[in-house]
Amino acid sequence: MVRTSYREQLVALAAKIAEICGLATVAMETATRALLRADLVLAERVIREHDQIVDACMAAEEAAFVLLVRHQPVAGDLRTVVTSIQNVFDIERMGVLAKHVARITVRRHPEVAVPSEVAHDFAEMGRVAVQLGNATQQALLMRDVETATSIDDEDDAMDALHAHLFVVVMGREWQHGVPAAIDVTMLGRFYERFADHAVEICRRVNFQVLGETTGSDEART
């Protein structure tokens, strides 16, 4: 009976972490819409609802530590619990990055924070971020190695979009001044880091399932 309860707790923890990943993804999707439309209501909703993500992350982290202390898992179960704690950190950061996007929208309102020259880039970065977030949620929920290993192309697309922003901002045709350039640079960084956190989580899914992973934890900010 105790072992069954323990297994149920592991499954519940995985489901909870996947659910929080979904919340962070929705937050970034909403923040992107707010950014492109200068929508103050949507931006303030992302900021207001961020506490929900924080509280859920704290609860999931506590549940993981309880499993460690009470059951002292080994082997595959230990990998699951430890990587779950790491994943909670990354998901919390994903939520913070969505909040940062929303804050820039609020600060620049009623103006649109992104000039027309880069609006398409940010629309695409938002799309890629949401796709990565959804894939990560699926990988977490289903322990889906195939999904976890299939996101590299989307991550490369995000990196290319991020690099293109620098080309535009540093180009001679940029006519929007330094404040707008700073906002565009920061926003690009927020999306790029969101993607990095998703990639790190997917790498850990491979570690949980297969006992091996590639690369190293780089998404620490």
Side-chain angles (χ1 to χ4, degrees), residues 145-185:
V145 173
E146 183 177 353
T147 297
T149 56
S150 68
I151 67 171
D152 286 344
D153 288 344
E154 292 296 332
D155 184 46
D156 289 343
M158 182 69 83
D159 289 341
L161 288 162
H162 185 224
H164 181 252
L165 291 177
F166 287 101
V167 175
V168 176
V169 169
M170 298 301 293
R172 293 183 178 181
E173 297 181 0
W174 181 259
Q175 301 293 327
H176 304 282
V178 173
I182 292 172
D183 281 347
V184 167
T185 301

Side-chain angles (χ1 to χ4, degrees), residues 11-167:
V11 171
L13 177 61
K16 185 62 177 177
I17 292 173
E19 178 186 349
I20 305 168
C21 183
L23 293 177
T25 302
V26 169
M28 183 56 90
E29 183 177 26
T30 305
T32 302
R33 293 205 312 270
L35 175 70
L36 296 174
R37 303 173 186 175
D39 191 321
L40 185 62
V41 174
L42 285 180
E44 289 181 337
R45 182 198 301 172
V46 173
I47 295 169
R48 183 174 63 253
E49 294 180 353
H50 177 68
D51 287 345
Q52 180 182 357
I53 297 175
V54 173
D55 291 345
C57 284
M58 291 177 62
E61 187 176 49
E62 181 178 353
F65 278 116
V66 168
L67 286 173
L68 277 177
V69 172
R70 289 185 178 176
H71 300 283
Q72 299 181 355
V74 296
D77 288 348
L78 179 61
R79 288 200 302 268
T80 297
V81 176
V82 171
T83 56
S84 293
I85 294 170
Q86 295 171 319
N87 288 340
V88 168
F89 172 85
D90 281 293
I91 292 169
E92 191 273 337
R93 293 307 304 168
M94 290 164 72
V96 168
L97 291 163
K99 183 179 180 181
H100 288 341
V101 172
R103 279 180 167 169
I104 288 183
T105 300
V106 171
R107 189 175 73 240
R108 293 296 296 268
H109 187 268
E111 297 179 1
V112 179
V114 292
S116 58
E117 292 92 327
V118 293
H120 175 75
D121 294 275
F122 280 105
E124 186 65 8
M125 291 178 91
R127 184 197 67 78
V128 173
V130 169
Q131 187 161 333
L132 283 166
N134 287 336
T136 301
Q137 183 183 22
Q138 172 72 12
L140 284 167
L141 187 61
M142 305 302 296
R143 292 170 60 90
D144 187 343
V145 173
E146 183 177 353
T147 297
T149 56
S150 68
I151 67 171
D152 286 344
D153 288 344
E154 292 296 332
D155 184 46
D156 289 343
M158 182 69 83
D159 289 341
L161 288 162
H162 185 224
H164 181 252
L165 291 177
F166 287 101
V167 175

